[in-house]
Amino acid sequence: MKIGYGWDSHEFKRGIPLKIGGVTLPHPKGLGGHSDGDVLLHALTDALLGAVAAPDIGTLFSPSDPRWKGADSALFLAEALQRVHAAGYVIVNVDSTLILAEPKIGPHAAAIRSRVADLLAIPSDCVGLKAKTPEGMGTDNAAIAHAVVLLEKIMPEKKSGERAGTRVGTRKEKK
């Protein structure tokens, strides 16, 4: 088993859509960033990359590279997931915390969890999502995301003459 941790933050800016967890939320301000500013997908990407000791999101998708200007953060997450699978791991579960003054995440939590589950090819009951307000931290004009992932090594099936092992298939199950 391996764990990974990631976090990200972006400042709110007018005139851009607000995307969190791959879902566009109704709000007058979006999150500024070189890509689409999706703090949750960025934190999850770094958590996955960190768990398999891969380079971080900023190294793989440099903010100075014009290819990533306005990019959908789901692309970054897909690359991290590919690296997890290439290293021989599957995702057991993810847990995350969003810290932002507004908008309220509660009405959108199920949609965000579902979208993250789809992007990671895991059941939505393996995606934890909590939202907190900053309460005096001075970050009312920003969104912050923390994420942790648990990975499990895929063990080869037992062949004659080998020690017993376990085989873990994909984690995508019926919802």
Side-chain angles (χ1 to χ4, degrees):
M1 304 281 251
K2 289 189 173 193
I3 61 167
Y5 169 76
W7 82 275
D8 193 38
S9 66
H10 287 288
E11 186 177 19
F12 281 99
K13 297 192 184 265
R14 291 199 180 277
I16 54 177
L18 175 60
K19 284 186 79 173
I20 295 180
V23 175
T24 301
L25 304 180
H27 194 64
K29 297 179 185 176
L31 294 170
H34 188 66
S35 65
D36 62 9
D38 191 324
V39 291
L40 181 56
L41 295 190
H42 293 181
L44 286 166
T45 297
D46 261 344
L48 290 168
L49 293 169
V52 294
D56 70 4
I57 191 172
T59 301
L60 294 176
F61 306 101
S62 174
S64 63
D65 188 333
R67 288 182 299 168
W68 310 123
K69 180 69 177 161
D72 185 339
S73 295
L75 297 170
F76 308 154
L77 193 63
E79 174 63 21
L81 185 58
Q82 185 278 326
R83 288 172 181 255
V84 164
H85 292 157
Y89 288 86
V90 293
I91 299 171
V92 175
N93 74 304
V94 302
D95 190 23
S96 60
T97 303
L98 294 168
I99 304 166
L100 67 169
E102 56 179 46
K104 296 294 182 200
I105 296 300
H108 311 287
I112 294 169
R113 286 180 64 232
S114 179
R115 179 67 178 142
V116 169
D118 287 345
L119 291 170
L120 296 176
I122 60 175
S124 58
D125 66 355
C126 293
V127 177
L129 176 67
K130 299 162 304 292
K132 308 292 179 188
T133 56
E135 311 231 359
M137 291 175 45
T139 57
D140 286 357
N141 196 43
I144 301 165
H146 294 267
V148 63
V149 300
L150 178 63
L151 306 181
E152 184 174 34
K153 185 76 169 175
I154 301 169
M155 301 298 285
E157 287 184 5
K158 181 181 172 186
K159 295 180 183 175
S160 61
E162 290 183 354
R163 292 186 335 205
T166 60
R167 178 164 175 91
V168 177
T170 64
R171 299 285 302 164
K172 185 71 175 176
E173 300 166 11
K174 291 181 184 175
K175 292 183 184 176

